[in-house]
Amino acid sequence: MAIKFEDVSFCYDKEKYIFSHLDFQLPEKGFLVLLGKSGSGKTTFLSLLKGELVPTEGKITGNEKDMQMVYQSPLLLDYLSVKENILLPLTLSGKDEKYRQERLKKVLEQVHLEGFEEKEPDTLSGGEKMRVSIARALSKEESVLILDEPTGQLDEENSKDIYKLLKEISQTTLVLLVTHDEKNGTMLSDSIYLLEEGKLIPKKKKDQEEETITKTKEKEDQGKIPMKDSLFLLSKYLNRHPLRVFLSTFFLAFSLTILYLGLNLYHNIHTGLNTLLFYHYNSNIASFSLKEEVADSGNMKLSRYSIPDRTTLHNLKIENSYPCLEYFLPSYNEINVKKEYCDIRFEPVWKENKSKLLLGNGMKDEEDIVVNRLFLKTFSLSEDEALDRQITFSRSTLIYSTQFKATDMIQLDFSFRIRGISKESSTFNEPILYYNYSKIKDKIGNTVLPNLSKEREKETTIDDLFDDEDYLEEDFLCQKTLIESDDIFQLKKDIETKYPGKTRIESKTLSIKESVDQIVSSLIKIGAVFLFLVLLSAFMLEFIAVYSLYDENIRLFALVASFSRNIENRIRITLSNGLCFFFYTLSQLFVLSSLLSLFIRLFSKHNSLPDFLALFDPLSFLFVLLITLIISIPASLLPLRKIKTKNIKKELEGED
């Protein structure tokens, strides 16, 4: 079926008519030339011919057949080879590989470019580029080939070669040439029309053989570009801008790496912290008191602490409890080592775990102690200097009670010898001296109180006071007892569950854990805000990078609009761009997260710290993977809205 204009008139917004009562029929094949000055309506005529505009009056029939445009500029994609440029329309239509190769061979023969398949556009002459552009238009076997000033950028010799080529093609296809080159353009034409004052005027017509075409090629369905071909196109273009793509994806990957490490730390910090605290030499010991509110006045509350009775301990399944010795041997004491004085924390140990020793044999006798590495650092001691070093000091303590009149001032002389160095880390720690609780208790407990013995009329030792429940409230018992558990954290949780707000349980390891938990909680809140801002910045950076790439690659979108009426192809190409950025970001994310995780773990090992990070945390990585996808796809789709139709049209009609 031929293309026919039946009394066609056209105007924009009911103003002056550009065409009035056009009435003519185009042949099924041949070489037609359309002449006209600038502003005569050539572009509008082509838009009506292609069905992009609808007549104001009259109708056009037969233009549902496939047409293909060749523009003044070859519009080749410089990051694709000649073969890939020619096959672009078929790629966009989703044609299979076998069909594509058959068409490639045929159109290369038609335009006389055999052997040029792998050449790059930048290596071609102007005439060769235009031949590639024509071959690309022919690849889809269109019924009508429209050319808009295809020789405008060529010299006369190359122009003549192109016209000869078009003449050959017109033997089987309708070729419509729009040109200003009346001299060369009309030489080989079969028909010439002049656009003038809204009319289409036949200017010259040669006799041509009539050929009845019994079957017109039906308009074929517009296919969709396969995702793998779309990814191929975008990856070829992005590879031309490696630095820009790398910088934008690296910033996003680095931001996501920080997020991954934060999640990794959040998931594994408690395991690492428990390992860290396990090596504290008395990590299974805590002090325990009952708490009672005795006064409440506005914002001021007065609490009283007491030693738990046997019933309370039994309810908590605590089988053993021990008197606190802090009244006689306080938690902090000033000691002298190498003529240097410093306050050192004293911690009791009654069940020694030799696996926590770094060096030495540990505690056997009353005088044996174990110290940590911060103790050595405080006094500038090497490990060899520390082992077997003796430490002596004395304390005077007043023993008194509301239940008797007598008081006793006792002096305790302590002589310790370092027999071991613990493995515990210096992180969240302080200089500690661990002493043998049972031996020191015996030493203190066996001390005779002469004045109290005289008042009670029997020999009385400190142990007698420890064992008498009448003295549970006295200061020398410190209103607390010492308890032991293999899992001190779980024990505290159980105590607080059964006696909420009515107890106090304390230890060095519990204090460290609570402090770290608070630090982590604060860091998570601060980190969440920081990471949100960083990810937003990364998204905006990728958006700008993608938009600039789209703006520079407007030719691809112009060709998509020209070769394919399927609007989904533009979306598929932008989705492919998003996937390319996603995979680039993902690869950098994997490398960065692995390297940083490994570095942090090596740093922890070097500083005798446990692993707070897993080498690979699948759950955290999957979450970050999802975030990467959520950022990459919208950041590639949103810039598509900024690509204006006028920019595409300008690209198609512009010059290189």
Side-chain angles (χ1 to χ4, degrees):
M1 181 179 180
I3 300 173
K4 188 175 183 181
F5 282 60
E6 299 180 40
D7 198 25
V8 171
S9 298
F10 182 80
C11 67
Y12 292 102
D13 301 326
K14 298 183 179 180
E15 296 179 356
K16 181 180 178 180
Y17 275 81
I18 298 175
F19 296 115
S20 298
H21 307 292
L22 295 182
D23 203 349
F24 67 92
Q25 178 175 314
L26 294 176
E28 297 284 353
K29 60 181 180 178
F31 190 2
L32 277 68
V33 174
L34 180 64
L35 302 174
K37 299 178 181 179
S38 296
S40 61
K42 296 192 298 296
T43 300
T44 302
F45 176 80
L46 293 179
S47 297
L48 286 168
L49 182 65
K50 294 187 290 181
E52 295 173 354
L53 294 176
V54 178
T56 306
E57 298 174 7
K59 64 178 181 178
I60 302 174
T61 58
N63 66 337
E64 69 278 359
K65 62 176 63 182
D66 292 320
M67 304 179 190
Q68 192 57 65
M69 284 287 299
V70 177
Y71 297 93
Q72 180 176 351
S73 171
L75 297 178
L76 303 182
L77 298 175
D78 58 1
Y79 50 88
L80 298 182
S81 65
V82 166
K83 174 181 69 174
E84 291 162 349
N85 269 286
I86 291 174
L87 294 178
L88 184 59
L90 301 182
T91 301
L92 292 170
S93 300
K95 298 296 184 182
D96 62 61
E97 184 64 22
K98 181 180 179 182
Y99 178 80
R100 280 191 261 182
Q101 294 306 315
E102 290 175 352
R103 289 301 302 160
L104 175 67
K105 182 179 179 181
K106 184 171 182 179
V107 297
L108 284 173
E109 291 175 354
Q110 283 183 279
V111 299
H112 311 301
L113 285 178
E114 300 94 327
F116 280 67
E117 295 92 327
E118 302 301 331
K119 288 184 176 292
E120 298 295 327
D122 291 343
T123 65
L124 304 179
S125 66
E128 290 169 339
K129 288 181 180 180
M130 186 53 65
R131 285 173 180 267
V132 173
S133 181
I134 294 171
R136 181 175 59 192
L138 292 171
S139 65
K140 288 188 70 175
E141 298 186 273
E142 309 292 12
S143 300
V144 180
L145 181 63
I146 303 171
L147 302 100
D148 187 4
E149 294 287 356
T151 61
Q153 300 179 32
L154 303 179
D155 56 30
E156 185 169 349
E157 183 177 350
N158 276 311
S159 296
K160 287 180 180 179
D161 289 341
I162 293 298
Y163 291 136
K164 290 178 182 178
L165 174 62
L166 295 177
K167 181 64 177 178
E168 294 177 16
I169 295 170
S170 69
Q171 302 302 312
T172 56
T173 303
L174 175 59
V175 176
L176 177 58
L177 171 67
V178 179
T179 184
H180 291 93
D181 186 2
E182 185 173 351
K183 175 184 175 182
N184 294 314
T186 59
M187 187 178 300
L188 299 175
S189 64
D190 298 325
S191 302
I192 303 172
Y193 290 90
L194 177 65
L195 270 176
E196 192 174 62
E197 297 180 354
K199 301 292 184 182
L200 192 65
I201 304 169
K203 188 174 181 183
K204 179 182 179 182
K205 187 174 182 179
K206 293 183 177 181
D207 296 334
Q208 65 182 92
E209 297 179 4
E210 297 292 335
E211 180 177 341
T212 303
I213 301 179
T214 58
K215 184 177 181 180
T216 302
K217 180 179 179 289
E218 298 292 335
K219 176 181 174 67
E220 68 177 73
D221 293 333
Q222 296 296 317
K224 300 176 184 177
I225 180 173
M227 190 58 72
K228 65 179 181 65
D229 291 324
S230 180
L231 285 169
F232 172 76
L233 286 175
L234 263 298
S235 62
K236 290 274 286 192
Y237 176 70
L238 294 178
N239 288 339
R240 296 292 293 270
H241 303 274
L243 182 60
R244 192 187 315 176
V245 173
F246 172 79
L247 289 177
S248 59
T249 54
F250 178 82
F251 184 65
L252 177 58
F254 182 77
S255 305
L256 292 166
T257 298
I258 300 301
L259 175 60
Y260 165 76
L261 293 177
L263 291 172
N264 190 337
L265 177 64
Y266 177 75
H267 289 153
N268 296 283
I269 189 169
H270 292 292
T271 301
L273 182 59
N274 288 340
T275 302
L276 177 72
L277 296 178
F278 169 78
Y279 284 105
H280 281 256
Y281 218 61
N282 66 340
S283 59
N284 58 341
I285 298 175
S287 64
F288 179 35
S289 303
L290 292 181
K291 178 182 177 182
E292 180 184 0
E293 302 290 345
V294 295
D296 188 347
S297 176
N299 295 327
M300 299 294 292
K301 291 184 178 181
L302 182 60
S303 300
R304 185 173 73 91
Y305 294 94
S306 61
I307 296 175
D309 55 33
R310 297 184 184 276
T311 303
T312 302
L313 295 173
H314 179 73
N315 289 338
L316 292 169
K317 298 181 180 179
I318 299 175
E319 297 180 0
N320 298 311
S321 62
Y322 308 87
C324 180
L325 303 180
E326 289 181 9
Y327 188 80
F328 307 96
L329 187 58
S331 296
Y332 289 90
N333 289 278
E334 186 178 61
I335 63 173
N336 173 22
V337 178
K338 293 174 66 175
K339 298 182 180 180
E340 183 175 348
Y341 288 87
C342 186
D343 278 340
I344 299 298
R345 186 180 181 102
F346 279 61
E347 288 283 325
V349 174
W350 55 68
K351 286 185 180 179
E352 190 178 18
N353 186 342
K354 297 295 177 102
S355 67
K356 297 182 181 182
L357 276 176
L358 179 67
L359 290 174
N361 299 317
M363 305 172 186
K364 293 181 181 178
D365 300 321
E366 173 190 308
E367 67 172 10
D368 295 345
I369 60 172
V370 171
V371 297
N372 62 7
R373 282 174 285 189
L374 268 179
F375 182 97
L376 305 186
K377 186 175 181 181
T378 300
F379 294 105
S380 302
L381 292 172
S382 67
E383 294 173 349
D384 291 336
E385 287 178 312
L387 288 176
D388 293 328
R389 177 173 286 273
Q390 190 171 20
I391 299 171
T392 60
F393 66 97
S394 300
R395 276 192 56 82
S396 296
T397 305
L398 179 64
I399 305 297
Y400 66 92
S401 171
T402 58
Q403 301 186 44
F404 43 79
K405 296 178 182 179
T407 61
D408 282 284
M409 177 66 73
I410 62 171
Q411 179 167 320
L412 297 170
D413 297 317
F414 295 98
S415 178
F416 295 120
R417 191 174 295 277
I418 300 175
R419 296 296 192 183
I421 301 171
S422 69
K423 290 181 179 178
E424 65 191 60
S425 169
S426 299
T427 306
F428 308 117
N429 210 346
E430 60 186 316
I432 301 177
L433 180 154
Y434 295 103
Y435 61 88
N436 189 321
Y437 174 85
S438 61
K439 300 291 185 181
I440 297 300
K441 179 182 174 297
D442 289 343
K443 175 183 177 66
I444 295 172
N446 292 331
T447 303
V448 177
L449 304 172
N451 295 334
L452 183 56
S453 298
K454 184 176 180 180
E455 181 178 329
R456 297 181 69 187
E457 297 180 348
K458 64 176 180 179
E459 185 178 81
T460 302
T461 63
I462 294 176
D463 257 346
D464 293 328
L465 302 183
F466 284 160
D467 297 335
D468 194 333
E469 291 189 359
D470 291 338
Y471 301 116
L472 289 180
E473 305 299 326
E474 300 300 336
D475 288 344
F476 52 77
L477 285 176
C478 304
Q479 291 81 44
K480 57 186 175 183
T481 188
L482 297 181
I483 57 176
E484 179 188 27
S485 173
D486 292 335
D487 189 346
I488 204 70
F489 308 115
Q490 185 61 44
L491 177 60
K492 180 181 179 182
K493 184 177 179 181
D494 294 340
I495 291 174
E496 292 178 342
T497 300
K498 291 185 178 180
Y499 298 96
K502 296 181 180 180
T503 61
R504 179 177 65 180
I505 178 169
E506 298 175 321
S507 76
K508 176 67 176 175
T509 52
L510 287 174
S511 298
I512 292 175
K513 189 174 189 305
E514 289 172 0
S515 299
V516 173
D517 285 343
Q518 291 175 1
I519 293 171
V520 171
S521 177
S522 299
L523 288 177
I524 287 173
K525 293 176 183 177
I526 297 171
V529 175
F530 171 75
L531 285 171
F532 173 77
L533 294 175
V534 171
L535 289 174
L536 181 62
S537 301
F539 173 82
M540 293 305 299
L541 178 65
E542 185 163 328
F543 175 90
I544 294 170
V546 170
Y547 176 67
S548 67
L549 289 171
Y550 284 177
D551 191 50
E552 293 178 15
N553 200 22
I554 190 70
R555 178 167 295 181
L556 174 61
F557 292 97
L559 293 173
V560 171
S562 176
F563 295 141
S564 173
R565 298 175 188 174
N566 195 332
I567 196 170
E568 286 188 28
N569 279 338
R570 287 179 66 187
I571 297 175
R572 285 195 172 210
I573 287 175
T574 52
L575 282 174
S576 297
N577 187 84
L579 289 175
C580 286
F581 268 75
F582 170 74
F583 286 118
Y584 292 153
T585 303
L586 181 61
S587 61
Q588 293 184 57
L589 170 64
F590 184 79
V591 172
L592 281 173
S593 61
S594 298
L595 289 178
L596 284 176
S597 295
L598 181 60
F599 173 78
I600 292 172
R601 286 167 63 90
L602 290 174
F603 176 82
S604 298
K605 184 176 181 180
H606 178 73
N607 291 276
S608 303
L609 292 172
D611 292 324
F612 291 104
L613 291 177
L615 188 58
F616 181 72
D617 185 355
L619 186 62
S620 298
F621 196 82
L622 284 174
F623 178 78
V624 173
L625 195 67
L626 179 62
I627 296 295
T628 308
L629 191 61
I630 290 174
I631 290 177
S632 299
I633 299 303
S636 295
L637 284 175
L638 290 177
L640 182 63
R641 300 175 63 87
K642 298 179 72 67
I643 298 178
K644 306 298 184 183
T645 302
K646 63 180 181 181
N647 295 335
I648 291 178
K649 186 176 180 181
K650 182 179 179 180
E651 177 67 20
L652 291 174
E653 296 174 354
E655 298 182 357
D656 279 339

